[in-house]
Amino acid sequence: MSQIYGSILEAIGNTPMVRLNNVTKGSKHQFFAKVEYFNPGGSIKDRVAVAMIEEAEKRGQLKPGGTIVEATSGNTGVGLALAAAVKGYKCIFVMPEKMSDEKRAILRAYGAKVVITPMVMPEDPMSHYSVSKKIADETPGAFLVNQFHNPDNPERHYRTTGPEIWKQMDGKVDMIVGGAGTGGTLSGIARYMKEMNPQVKAICTDPIGSILYDLFYHKKIVDPPGSYKVEGVGEDMLPDNVHLDIYDGFVRVSDPEAFAMTRRLVAEEGLLVGPSSALALVGAMKAAEQLEKPSNIVVIFPDSGRAYLSKAFNDKWMSENEFLTDADVKNAFNRVVSAEEALADLKKQ
Ligand code: PMP
């Protein structure tokens, strides 16, 4: 049988499950990472981007030559742009200004127009939600993807990511852990897992500053939404795709915890992932403390650290944000030095 993909879109999914060996040392539990940066666009969002386009085509909402419009923090945009390139659509993406330069650059590289919005509340007419809606309303042939509320998003995880995890783990999963941005990932995977085994627990990891934790435990916002540096997870509103009723618990994680773990994952496991992956792992380790018997815990790692070279992997940015101290930066082994300095260091040894 030929092993050729019909297009790059067929290379989406079937990502590896990798055992974590070092960063979780000392725990009686086993932790496994579903490493989603293996998708061709570099993140888990390739899966749902293609799903939402294909379903819109079937319903006649997106026609040949049409324009795809979306409010996206970057990763969904890459997946949509990838599909748009293969299928011949134009893309306009609207993203909040806090998102990294790499994310803007990559969307442009795929040929998309990128619209940057200020950090304001969702109901504000300048928010990325409001601006994307206006652009879609007023652009002929436009399809607003609406990933936060579009049911094709969790459905694709229910149909692909969930079954892949079940098969890779041979059904031996006790807890599944991930963050929620749109909620599609965790909602879809949790629904599948619980159908296979109702005992599987689904835990959502939330950055401090997101309102989802309060909505789950208190049914209302107790702490007002705050700012945080981890990208792609946490919310200042409740998306329809966050299915709070099927989650078993929430764990809060701070920026310093997430950024420290981002550095450790590459240094100790060889996994160059983004801060939302690290945040999910820190949350998983906290949630695991509540489990009495040794358990198998699957953590979703949504994207690659390559999108954060100017942030999580930039010492200046990390120390400006107090995630690294000056001493950490000065004493780091992984510095770029001139040949003269390297040779002078040899003499000091
Ligand atoms: N991590 C990153 C880096 C993301 O871009 C996203 C998507 N916003 C998520 C996690 C969360 O995925 P979901 O939208 O399926 O909840």
Side-chain angles (χ1 to χ4, degrees):
M1 211 174 81
S2 136
Q3 296 187 352
I4 299 167
Y5 290 127
S7 83
I8 192 66
L9 303 185
E10 290 175 18
I12 295 172
N14 292 311
T15 54
M17 182 72 77
V18 179
R19 179 192 296 276
L20 298 178
N21 298 300
N22 299 316
V23 293
T24 52
K25 219 174 233 157
S27 170
K28 66 182 170 197
H29 306 295
Q30 309 236 40
F31 292 81
F32 303 88
K34 180 75 170 153
V35 186
E36 287 289 313
Y37 69 64
F38 277 79
N39 284 301
S43 91
I44 193 163
K45 305 296 293 204
D46 287 359
R47 296 174 183 267
V48 298
V50 174
M52 292 184 290
I53 290 181
E54 285 173 356
E55 298 306 317
E57 286 171 334
K58 282 186 208 156
R59 286 192 284 263
Q61 292 168 306
L62 182 59
K63 299 205 173 65
T67 300
I68 296 165
V69 182
E70 182 61 331
T72 164
S73 71
N75 284 327
T76 304
V78 172
L80 290 169
L82 195 80
V86 173
K87 291 166 171 283
Y89 299 114
K90 285 199 279 302
C91 289
I92 303 176
F93 299 126
V94 185
M95 63 199 266
E97 63 189 355
K98 91 166 191 183
M99 302 309 165
S100 69
D101 289 345
E102 292 95 320
K103 285 184 177 175
R104 297 178 191 187
I106 195 109
L107 293 172
R108 284 197 57 224
Y110 276 104
K113 178 188 267 189
V114 180
V115 180
I116 304 294
T117 58
M119 300 300 294
V120 290
M121 294 302 286
E123 28 326 321
D124 191 294
M126 290 306 277
S127 76
H128 63 305
Y129 307 111
S130 311
V131 172
S132 57
K133 192 163 177 311
K134 191 157 172 58
I135 291 174
D137 285 347
E138 295 182 17
T139 305
F143 167 63
L144 182 64
V145 180
N146 213 358
Q147 57 169 330
F148 293 91
H149 309 289
N150 186 332
D152 300 326
N153 166 1
E155 185 66 20
R156 187 55 60 110
H157 289 294
Y158 173 79
R159 288 180 186 276
T160 70
T161 328
E164 283 172 33
I165 294 172
W166 189 256
K167 202 162 151 226
Q168 287 169 314
M169 296 300 293
D170 212 8
K172 297 189 184 76
V173 185
D174 299 298
M175 192 159 86
I176 174 95
V177 185
T182 66
T185 303
L186 193 62
S187 299
I189 296 173
R191 179 155 77 90
Y192 182 82
M193 293 287 151
K194 284 167 183 281
E195 272 179 28
M196 300 309 284
N197 174 5
Q199 303 303 320
V200 177
K201 297 272 175 279
I203 304 294
C204 184
T205 51
D206 214 24
I208 294 174
S210 163
I211 64 163
L212 299 176
Y213 178 97
D214 279 351
L215 294 181
F216 182 79
Y217 285 110
H218 308 294
K219 309 272 176 288
K220 61 175 182 176
I221 301 170
V222 180
D223 296 330
S227 73
Y228 49 88
K229 300 286 179 189
V230 175
E231 296 176 31
V233 284
E235 275 309 330
D236 49 14
M237 50 100 190
L238 182 63
D240 289 340
N241 286 333
V242 172
H243 300 167
L244 292 177
D245 52 327
I246 59 165
Y247 303 169
D248 296 283
F250 266 71
V251 182
R252 268 179 166 162
V253 179
S254 69
D255 272 345
E257 292 174 303
F259 282 93
M261 183 56 87
T262 309
R263 289 285 185 109
R264 287 190 61 193
L265 277 165
V266 65
E268 297 177 41
E269 307 282 352
L271 284 164
L272 181 62
V273 291
S276 75
S277 306
L279 184 135
L281 177 61
V282 172
M285 291 167 75
K286 291 185 186 187
E289 287 167 16
Q290 313 298 321
L291 300 175
E292 276 172 25
K293 61 174 188 23
S295 303
N296 285 342
I297 300 166
V298 172
V299 188
I300 309 299
F301 280 9
D303 73 351
S304 163
R306 283 179 188 244
Y308 308 92
L309 293 178
S310 68
K311 293 187 169 183
F313 299 102
N314 177 330
D315 286 355
K316 189 163 167 279
W317 185 91
M318 287 285 280
S319 56
E320 276 166 9
N321 286 284
E322 298 179 3
F323 303 143
L324 281 182
T325 63
D326 289 347
D328 291 333
V329 175
K330 196 160 158 273
N331 299 328
F333 175 78
N334 60 337
R335 284 176 304 139
V336 177
V337 295
S338 66
E340 285 83 358
E341 263 181 86
L343 296 175
D345 284 347
L346 288 179
K347 286 205 187 113
K348 281 190 221 147
Q349 278 177 5

